[in-house]
Amino acid sequence: MTQTTANPQLCPLCGQANQCAVAANRDPATCWCMSTPINRTAVATAREQRLPQYCLCPQCGTAAPAQT
């Protein structure tokens, strides 16, 4: 599912809650992404699809690249 509505609290790839500390007005240092390696393929996919510039959820952000 692709998220088409601009909502900073939703993952632009899957539409689920992204658990972003910044979007929730919390200290950015407390965000899950600050202590977890982010899958660059997921970020590239979001950019290629020109999705909103919002944070990925932990599931999308850490998923292993698809095998081709």
Side-chain angles (χ1 to χ4, degrees), residues 2-19:
T2 302
Q3 179 65 30
T4 58
T5 304
N7 183 333
Q9 295 182 341
L10 299 179
C11 175
L13 292 177
C14 72
Q16 300 300 309
N18 59 19
Q19 303 175 32

Side-chain angles (χ1 to χ4, degrees), residues 5-47:
T5 304
N7 183 333
Q9 295 182 341
L10 299 179
C11 175
L13 292 177
C14 72
Q16 300 300 309
N18 59 19
Q19 303 175 32
C20 177
V22 175
N25 294 315
R26 295 190 318 261
D27 180 1
T30 66
C31 196
W32 69 268
C33 69
M34 294 298 176
S35 62
T36 304
I38 304 301
N39 178 340
R40 292 177 189 224
T41 302
V43 174
T45 297
R47 286 185 181 149

